[in-house]
Amino acid sequence: MTPFAGAEPLYLDANATETLRPAARAALIAALDRVGNPASVHAEGRAARSLLEKSRAAIARHFGARPQDVVFCSGATEADAMAIHGLGSNRPILIGATEHDAVRAAAPNATTIPVNADGTIDLATLDRLLARQNGALVCLMAANNETGVIHPIAEAASLCAAHGAILHVDAVQAACRLDYDYLALGAASVAISAHKLGGPKGAGALLVAPAHADALAPLIRGGGQERGRRGGTQNLPAIAGFAAALDTAQLGNVARLAALRDAIEAGAREAGAIAVGADAPRLPNTTCLALPGLSAETQVIALDLDGICVSAGSACSSGKVARSHVLDAMGLGALAGCAIRVSLPWNASDTAPARFLAAYRRLAARALRKREGFSTSPEARAVAEPAII
Ligand code: PLP
């Protein structure tokens, strides 16, 4: 019996989706009773419209955008696609090697910008590539979802400006975790997702810099919503929750999360793990831990049986564990198949490291035995690994 047997699941998968913030839940529920369509002219429509615009203004304020430059959509997969199709259709496209599939799938013929061994973008190669491409669109994530590694966006934006290129920033994982204003740094557009910052699933936004607002061609046409830039009735309850989540998202929480993450990482390293990307600047809540000898899938399942929710590098929608292009791009080789992502939610408890590490040490012992080809009797194994398949 572990001391945590029978406890609630320990949720350490915030980069997949954050825990809903109470203010977001309240705003979402209240907005469910707003019957009107924001496009209708009658009183109920106007009330819905007013809530929509209030939410837009709050989101714009938070990210340093003008309200008219916030284009609501279903989430960041759509926001990334909107930027790539809407701003990049007549431009050569360059994407970072560790971009999310939302970007990779929207730009299948893009030129890839390699990353350094620590996962940060290779600025010298970006400079060289931009010198050969006229007026390119560069897509770069602010922080990586698998490793938490933060890219030097300010430097990339300067290179883009110097070469007449424009920059789209996927700020999904950075929002509310890092204190940056990407539009002020020179980005042409920024993708944000509500459910990655403690809001509801199903809402996101593309923030467009004023200089590019008129150039954005719609990806989805229809009833003229969002100033003709994204057709379809807005998901008002999710958007109201999105704005409320931002109101209560405190960057002050970040130091506490970093301390919890560091405790997890130190304990895991003592047990034999390698912390991927740890030499680079990283998100405060994320660590990517490779345990040589044990597949990521086995680790995720074993931890799940111990009531701990983490992800392998990248999980596809079928729930299967796909090989991580992020870790491959960082040159991890065979280690790429042995890495899990631990990402603390905004409301992580102070007991999270102890509980995680109790289970992780058993996993690490199992990996060690596997590496050494060590085998004990089934009885002895059952004692050492009570909850592991
Ligand atoms: N970009 C990054 C960096 C992400 O981590 C994700 C989701 O995992 C997305 C884009 C897609 O976001 P959404 O779930 O809102 O479509």
Side-chain angles (χ1 to χ4, degrees), residues 146 268 272-276 287-301 303 310-314 321-325 327-328 332-342 356 360 363-364 367-368 370-371:
E146 293 183 34
I274 295 155
V276 178
T287 178
C288 176
L289 300 171
L291 201 49
L294 218 50
S295 79
E297 196 161 14
T298 300
Q299 295 180 50
V300 169
I301 294 168
L303 289 168
V310 299
S311 278
S314 66
V321 175
R323 195 175 166 85
S324 162
H325 70 276
L327 304 182
D328 277 345
L332 251 71
L335 265 190
C338 305
I340 60 166
R341 171 185 72 190
V342 179
F356 173 81
Y360 193 79
L363 258 189
L368 185 65
K370 221 174 149 209
R371 286 202 300 277

Side-chain angles (χ1 to χ4, degrees), residues 15-16 74-78 80 100 102 141 143-145 170 172-173 193-196 203:
N15 292 10
S74 63
T77 301
E78 187 183 334
D80 283 331
H100 191 271
M141 62 201 335
N144 185 266
N145 47 304
D170 175 333
V172 168
Q173 300 292 346
S193 177
H195 77 106
K196 305 283 187 178

Side-chain angles (χ1 to χ4, degrees), residues 60-125:
R61 212 168 32 249
H62 187 94
F63 291 110
R66 303 185 306 183
Q68 64 267 38
D69 296 332
V70 174
V71 185
F72 286 127
C73 58
S74 63
T77 301
E78 187 183 334
D80 283 331
M82 201 191 300
I84 289 165
H85 292 280
L87 294 175
S89 59
N90 295 319
R91 296 174 181 271
I93 299 179
L94 276 63
I95 68 172
T98 57
E99 289 305 294
H100 191 271
D101 279 346
V103 166
R104 289 169 12 116
N109 301 318
T111 302
T112 302
I113 314 154
V115 294
N116 302 309
D118 67 359
T120 55
I121 201 76
D122 176 348
L123 287 168
T125 302

Side-chain angles (χ1 to χ4, degrees), residues 251-260 284:
L251 267 178
N253 190 27
V254 157
R256 194 182 79 82
L257 285 183
L260 295 177

Side-chain angles (χ1 to χ4, degrees), residues 11-18 173 177 196 285 343-346:
Y11 186 73
L12 298 177
D13 201 14
N15 292 10
T17 193
E18 260 290 5
Q173 300 292 346
R177 295 180 182 147
K196 305 283 187 178
N285 75 320
S343 52
L344 292 143
W346 61 270

